């Protein structure tokens, strides 16, 4: 075997192929150049085929290109050996390479023959052109259909938008109507409630006023009569220092000296009680304001004090409730132009809500078995302050030291029918009506601030004179429309007006 391989790679007794060309330089280099160029061309063709196959993975017979590539590479190698054997007579290797080339070319030829029917089945360029034209026509038809569909879609979208706009407008009208109906209902319910309460309070005040006036009016003459009788007894004792035993026994049994000392005190206490009842009646009449439905000058402090008088019973301690302390800080306010009865209604709603909140906290403390701590702890406090902001506005602040209002509730605080109380304990109308009374009826402002665990404060800002405020606003609007001055100048003009 070793000898065979040596023979295969040895030149043996053969002579180089160049002897056939008699070593003529031009002839030898002619064959060298020709075979070399052919070999280079052969080697470049497979590279091009490989690149083509890699770019066209959809080719149905890409293996035949590989066979052609192998055949061409083998042909290129045979030409290289043609150059090599000009000087080195290794004809066994050269012949073997030609044999390999022959086998590859033969196999390629056979496979190509079997491939011809399949290749003939492929569509011709004319058929491809016809199919392409049919596809183009179908594409054009589909594009026209698509355009028609798009046009119909656009028209439908326009109609839908128009209908949606109509429905939205109708919804807005319905929502506005519903809101107006709700506000009207709120006003009717609250007006009826306050009217009934005012009539009840006025009736009670009237019924109490007549007998208390009778009592109060008779206290002065009764005091005079008693003083006269006591003077008479003193005079009798001076003239008759030693009365009969029966009279002495009667004086001793009735304790005449104690009667002389205590009877004037009784009359003074009766007068004080009568005065207290008269003050209560006056507060009830101020709160009801049945005869003051129109705007007029009123004392804000009287309205607040009358409201506190009505709610006095709820401020006192009871059970495990430690009571509520009222802290008042009044500024020297002038009488303001307002609807007194409606402002009293606002004060009643805000103060009553503060009392409810403090009572609920005390009740919660009681349920947590901390009633002793609640009764001995800090009293609930409601602070009421008033002050003059400027020559046109006053401010009323009503604050309590409760736990505060959650942010989620603050957003809906003035919404009609919104309430956090249990069913039957609240209608959700009080603050909504109060907001309308302050903002719409008095052209003022009502807002609420609350800090968790620190309390809640309502601030009411109302003009001293609604009529003057309205006139100022009209003048200011006329000035704006007629004078395109900068905003700063307009604001300065507004303050001057």
């Amino acid at each position: 075997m070793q000898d065979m391989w040596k023979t295969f790679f040895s030149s043996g007794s053969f002579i180089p192929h160049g002897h056939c060309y008699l070593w003529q330089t031009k002839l030898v280099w002619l064959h060298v150049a020709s075979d070399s160029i052919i070999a280079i061309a052969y080697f470049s063709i497979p590279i091009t085929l490989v690149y083509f196959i890699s770019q066209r993975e959809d080719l149905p017979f890409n293996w035949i290109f590989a066979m052609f590539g192998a055949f061409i590479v083998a042909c290129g190698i045979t030409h290289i050996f043609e150059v090599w054997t000009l000087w080195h007579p290794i004809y066994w290797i050269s012949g073997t390479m030609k044999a390999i080339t022959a086998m590859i070319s033969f196999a390629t030829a056979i496979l190509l023959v079997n491939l011809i029917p399949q290749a003939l089945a492929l569509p011709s360029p004319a058929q491809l052109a016809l199919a392409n034209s049919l596809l183009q026509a179908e594409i054009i038809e589909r594009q026209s259909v698509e355009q028609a569909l798009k046009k119909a879609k656009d028209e439908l979208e326009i109609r839908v938008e128009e209908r949606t706009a109509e429905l939205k407008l109708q919804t807005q009208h319905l929502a506005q109507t519903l809101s107006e109906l709700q506000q009207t209902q709120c006003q009717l319910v609250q007006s009826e409630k306050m009217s009934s309460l005012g009539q009840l309070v006025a009736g009670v005040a009237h019924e109490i006023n007549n007998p208390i006036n009778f009592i109060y009016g008779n206290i002065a003459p009764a005091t005079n009569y008693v003083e006269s009788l006591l003077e008479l007894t003193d005079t009798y004792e001076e003239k008759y220092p030693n009365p009969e035993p029966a009279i002495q026994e009667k004086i001793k049994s009735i304790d005449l000296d104690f009667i002389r000392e205590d009877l004037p005190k009784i009359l003074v206490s009766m007068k004080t009680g009568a005065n207290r009842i008269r003050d209560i009646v006056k507060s009830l009449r101020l709160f009801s304001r049945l005869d003051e439905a129109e705007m007029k000058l009123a004392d804000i402090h009287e309205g607040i004090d009358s409201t506190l008088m009505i709610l006095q019973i709820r401020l006192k301690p009871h059970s495990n409730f430690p009571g509520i302390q009222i802290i008042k800080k009044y500024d020297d306010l002038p009488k303001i132009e307002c609807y007194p009865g409606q402002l009293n209604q606002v004060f009643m709603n805000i103060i009553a809500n503060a009392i409810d909140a403090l009572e609920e906290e005390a009740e919660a403390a009681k349920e947590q078995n901390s009633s002793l701590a609640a009764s001995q702890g800090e009293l609930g406090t409601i602070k009421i302050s008033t002050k003059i902001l400027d020559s046109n506005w006053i401010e009323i602040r009503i604050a309590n030291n409760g736990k505060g209002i959650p942010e989620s509730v603050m957003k809906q605080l003035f919404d009609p029918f919104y309430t956090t109380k249990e069913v039957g304990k609240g209608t959700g109308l009080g603050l909504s009506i109060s907001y309308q009374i302050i903002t719409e009826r008095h052209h003022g402002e009502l807002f609420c601030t609350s800090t968790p665990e620190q309390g809640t404060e309502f601030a009411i800002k109302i003009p001293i004179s609604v009529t003057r405020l309205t006139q100022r606003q009209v003048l200011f609007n006329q000035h704006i429309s007629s004078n395109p001055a900068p905003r700063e100048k307009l604001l300065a003009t507004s303050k001057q007006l």
Side-chain angles (χ1 to χ4, degrees), residues 241-488:
N242 297 313
E244 295 182 357
I247 295 176
Q248 291 180 1
E249 185 67 24
K250 185 65 177 178
I251 290 174
K252 184 177 180 181
S253 65
I254 65 175
D255 197 355
L256 182 60
D257 292 334
F258 176 77
I259 291 176
R260 283 195 184 101
E261 180 182 356
D262 192 54
L263 186 56
K265 295 180 181 179
I266 291 175
L267 292 173
V268 171
S269 64
M270 290 175 62
K271 184 176 182 180
T272 303
N275 282 328
R276 175 64 176 164
I277 295 175
R278 292 183 69 188
D279 291 339
I280 294 174
V281 171
K282 181 180 178 182
S283 297
L284 293 175
R285 292 173 63 87
L286 286 173
F287 179 79
S288 62
R289 299 279 188 174
L290 291 180
D291 56 342
E292 299 182 9
E294 298 299 326
M295 182 171 288
K296 58 176 59 180
L297 293 176
D299 188 343
I300 291 294
H301 296 156
E302 284 185 352
I304 297 175
D305 291 338
S306 66
T307 303
L308 292 174
M309 180 69 70
I310 300 296
L311 297 172
Q312 185 67 36
I313 189 64
R314 297 189 61 189
L315 302 175
K316 296 180 178 180
H318 58 84
S319 183
N320 291 323
F321 181 59
I324 298 175
Q325 179 184 12
I326 300 295
I327 300 176
K328 295 188 288 186
K329 186 179 179 181
Y330 290 166
D331 199 355
D332 186 13
L333 299 183
K335 289 188 176 183
I336 68 168
E337 187 180 23
C338 64
Y339 296 94
Q342 295 183 9
L343 281 185
N344 290 344
Q345 180 180 346
V346 174
F347 300 148
M348 172 67 76
N349 289 331
I350 296 176
I351 297 175
N353 284 341
I355 296 174
D356 291 340
L358 295 174
E359 286 182 343
E360 289 177 3
E361 292 176 14
E363 186 67 23
K366 177 182 177 182
E367 293 178 356
Q368 296 174 1
N369 297 325
S370 58
S371 59
L372 180 61
S375 61
Q376 295 179 353
E378 182 182 357
L379 289 176
T381 303
I382 297 177
K383 297 180 180 179
I384 303 174
S385 63
T386 62
K387 68 176 180 179
I388 300 177
L389 297 178
D390 53 36
S391 60
N392 297 309
W393 295 87
I394 67 167
E395 184 181 61
I396 305 147
R397 290 185 175 269
I398 303 174
N400 65 79
N401 63 341
K403 290 185 177 180
I405 302 175
E407 185 178 355
S408 58
V409 176
M410 288 286 291
K411 298 178 180 178
Q412 308 176 69
L413 196 61
F414 298 109
D415 291 349
F417 302 106
Y418 178 79
T419 179
T420 57
K421 299 178 182 178
E422 298 179 2
V423 177
K425 291 187 177 181
T427 61
L429 297 175
L431 290 179
S432 175
I433 293 294
S434 300
Y435 187 81
Q436 291 182 6
I437 290 174
I438 297 299
T439 59
E440 296 180 9
R441 300 285 288 174
H442 291 85
H443 303 283
E445 298 177 7
L446 172 61
F447 53 89
C448 175
T449 56
S450 181
T451 304
E453 305 301 331
Q454 293 186 16
T456 303
E457 182 179 59
F458 285 86
I460 302 170
K461 180 182 176 183
I462 54 177
I464 296 176
S465 173
V466 176
T467 305
R468 187 171 61 183
L469 176 69
T470 306
Q471 292 174 350
R472 286 177 62 250
Q473 187 63 41
V474 170
L475 292 174
F476 181 61
N477 292 337
Q478 292 176 352
H479 187 74
I480 290 177
S481 60
S482 62
N483 184 13
R487 177 178 176 82
E488 292 76 9

Side-chain angles (χ1 to χ4, degrees), residues 44 95 106 153 284 450:
S44 63
F106 186 70
K153 178 185 176 183
L284 293 175
S450 181

